[in-house]
Amino acid sequence: MLLTGASGFVGRHVIAPLLKNGFEIHATSRAWITSTGVHCHGVDLLDEAAVSALVELVRPSHLIHLAWITESPAYWHSSLNVIWESRSMHLFEAFARAGGSRLVSAGSCAEYEWGSDVLDEQATPEVPATPYGQAKLSLLRRAQALATKNRITFSWARFFFLFGPHERDGRFVPSIIDPLLRKNDAYCHHGKLNRDFLYVEDAGDAVVAIAMSGVNGVVNVGSGLASQLGAMAQEIGREMKLPNLVHIADDHTGREQPQSLVANTSRLNRDVGWTPRFDRQSALQRTIAWRASREGTRGA
């Protein structure tokens, strides 16, 4: 198994279920990984020659590709998206030449045309509005053609809104938790918007389930539940016993933002046979505890 982005937000949660399923992992990552059963390779994925050499050396049967530009919010409009599309395709081509048989790569709900209450792999048009979504969708279509030509089974894990340990500062869940940890006011400015939140450890487990399933094509990876941002912020406040410090702007939903972004997870649940292990309360508790421990380390 070759795993890219192994120390990233999702990738670090893919390692344990892969090991549990008996895989020997060859990983590329920004941080060195010392887990038993993981062979870490310090390869720059933007270096085509180095990538070709790595794939030829490892000759993996499976590839899970999670690496991409992730700097928020720059990645939405960065010109690096085009570069990552190109280098990802080079990786896939090297994998095919080396005789690989199962490819799983990460997509995004940003590939869809936003506006429907529920986003469906078959029914919802794919009309991305950002360079990030456009690059992801372009890579999907090119990878599908490569997989068909080389008789590789291929799945595209289309992520929705993930949260949990190691999430970048400033994203929605950290933007509520972090001020409360300092006993400061926390503000939710788009309280009426609905989003599909999934705990990142569940997302990692879902990726492995998809890889093991043999299912082909796009698979939405989400909870399948609509969570109103204001309600989510208030739930965090209650868990942290600071509900009075959470402020919701219910009268402003953000004109530039769709009202609802929620996954139809029928394919994930039925065809892959996967459902989340964590309920929302336990997922938030684990996330709060991780961010509190990090805050304590910073303040030490």
Side-chain angles (χ1 to χ4, degrees), residues 61-285:
S61 61
H62 291 62
L63 168 61
I64 295 179
H65 179 49
L66 301 176
W68 198 270
I69 175 177
T70 58
E71 286 73 10
S72 181
Y75 73 90
W76 286 105
H77 298 283
S78 174
S79 60
L80 289 176
N81 283 297
V82 175
I83 295 173
W84 272 100
E85 177 196 344
S86 171
R87 299 305 189 272
S88 297
M89 197 62 203
H90 173 81
L91 169 64
F92 297 168
E93 290 166 347
F95 177 68
R97 287 194 301 270
S101 60
R102 178 66 171 152
L103 168 59
V104 177
S105 189
S108 168
C109 63
E111 299 164 55
Y112 285 119
E113 180 179 52
W114 291 350
S116 304
D117 286 342
V118 178
L119 304 179
D120 182 273
E121 299 99 330
Q122 302 299 322
T124 305
E126 296 171 328
V127 187
T130 64
Y132 171 68
Q134 291 159 7
K136 285 286 189 179
L137 183 60
S138 177
L139 178 61
L140 163 62
R141 290 172 176 168
R142 295 171 68 186
Q144 284 175 320
L146 176 75
T148 299
K149 179 180 178 181
N150 291 277
R151 298 182 179 179
I152 295 170
T153 62
F154 169 63
S155 283
W156 187 258
R158 191 168 271 169
F159 293 124
F160 278 68
F161 295 84
L162 309 182
F163 72 96
H166 301 279
E167 186 174 5
R168 289 186 177 274
D169 296 350
R171 284 163 57 95
F172 176 72
V173 170
S175 77
I176 304 299
I177 294 174
D178 291 351
L180 296 182
L181 288 172
R182 304 176 190 117
K183 303 298 189 293
N184 293 332
D185 293 307
Y187 296 90
C188 172
H189 299 290
H190 308 300
K192 290 184 178 179
L193 298 184
N194 290 316
R195 296 293 181 262
D196 186 323
F197 287 98
L198 182 68
Y199 186 53
V200 69
E201 192 170 332
D202 275 330
D205 190 61
V207 168
V208 176
I210 290 169
M212 297 287 291
S213 72
V215 167
N216 280 295
V218 178
V219 180
N220 285 340
V221 177
S223 68
L225 302 174
S227 296
Q228 196 171 74
L229 296 188
M232 183 89 158
Q234 289 170 335
E235 186 174 352
I236 293 170
R238 289 193 298 272
E239 286 294 332
M240 299 181 70
K241 297 180 171 51
L242 295 168
N244 295 335
L245 294 182
V246 178
H247 306 281
I248 313 298
D250 286 330
D251 59 343
H252 176 50
T253 59
R255 295 178 182 177
E256 75 286 358
Q257 304 219 35
Q259 174 61 34
S260 183
L261 290 174
V262 180
N264 180 340
T265 58
S266 296
R267 191 155 200 246
L268 178 64
N269 305 148
R270 181 190 62 240
D271 297 350
V272 177
W274 182 91
T275 55
R277 182 160 59 97
F278 294 93
D279 60 33
R280 180 116 112 238
Q281 183 179 26
S282 63
L284 284 175
Q285 288 171 347

